[in-house]
Amino acid sequence: MNNKTCLNCGESFTPKRSDAVCCSDKCRAAYNYKKKQRKNGNMDLHQIDNIAQQQENDVIIEGVLDTQYLISKCNECETKLEAINAQIEQLEVDKSKLSAQILVIEEEVLSIESGDKAKLMKLMSLSDLVLYNNYLNSAYLTEKKKGNEFAYNRLKSELDLANKFNPTLRVEIDDYRNRIKDAIQKHDLEIANKQLLTTAFQNQIEDICARIKELQNQLRFYEARVLKYEALLLSV
């Protein structure tokens, strides 16, 4: 199974399940808490922006400025920026993969709905007489396949289907219709499962977008720090 990027801490990990988005129970709990906070409106992205902006202005230098210290702090921030950019890049890759999977699933659903299921639905719309003669009347179908011009003599009529003394035809038709219904239900179940998977992938994309937004806030924070440290270096 391919590695993923944890939506909480940003570290790469090998998921034990295909729908895993966090590297550990601890990260999953923290991620779900932040997600819940965002949904409840207690910590929306505007608030995160405000917090980041406030932090950008919190560089306080006391005492004598140390050039080496400032250089080391710049390097630390630049290392952080590289790591955050790498996380964003990986998340963008993950998002693209999920989007591609959604497109594949949507095409599969369309293929089922316009293909096999559509054919079965068309069969169900046929009258009993047409259904029997074209799909169940083996005597007629055999002669027709041979090219017998008198094959039509084997066709059944509405009177034949209504004959109470020979219910075999009705039993065959009902059994065939039940098999068609079962096949349609299987396709409906397959479509429903694919749609659930699509919804799960869409939720993961939303989570990834939220994580990218948080990382972009961190980028602005560390970029502001670098600018402040560089300005202080120029003043030394």
Side-chain angles (χ1 to χ4, degrees), residues 131-183:
L131 186 67
Y132 183 83
N133 280 326
N134 284 278
Y135 296 94
L136 299 173
N137 190 340
S138 58
Y140 164 69
L141 295 172
T142 300
E143 294 301 320
K144 182 181 178 182
K145 187 175 182 180
K146 291 178 180 179
N148 187 344
E149 61 180 319
F150 299 107
Y152 66 89
N153 289 324
R154 300 285 187 172
L155 291 172
K156 298 297 181 181
S157 66
E158 291 287 357
L159 291 176
D160 294 321
L161 297 186
N163 188 350
K164 295 181 180 179
F165 299 101
N166 185 19
T168 305
L169 300 182
R170 174 56 55 192
V171 171
E172 287 184 52
I173 293 170
D174 291 344
D175 179 66
Y176 192 64
R177 284 196 182 279
N178 286 333
R179 280 184 282 148
I180 294 173
K181 288 178 182 177
D182 289 341

Side-chain angles (χ1 to χ4, degrees), residues 27-44:
C27 271
R28 186 173 68 253
Y31 173 71
N32 288 335
Y33 175 77
K34 287 191 289 185
K35 184 177 177 182
K36 182 178 179 182
Q37 291 296 307
R38 288 197 300 269
K39 287 184 177 179
N40 291 338
N42 295 331
M43 189 177 70
D44 59 27

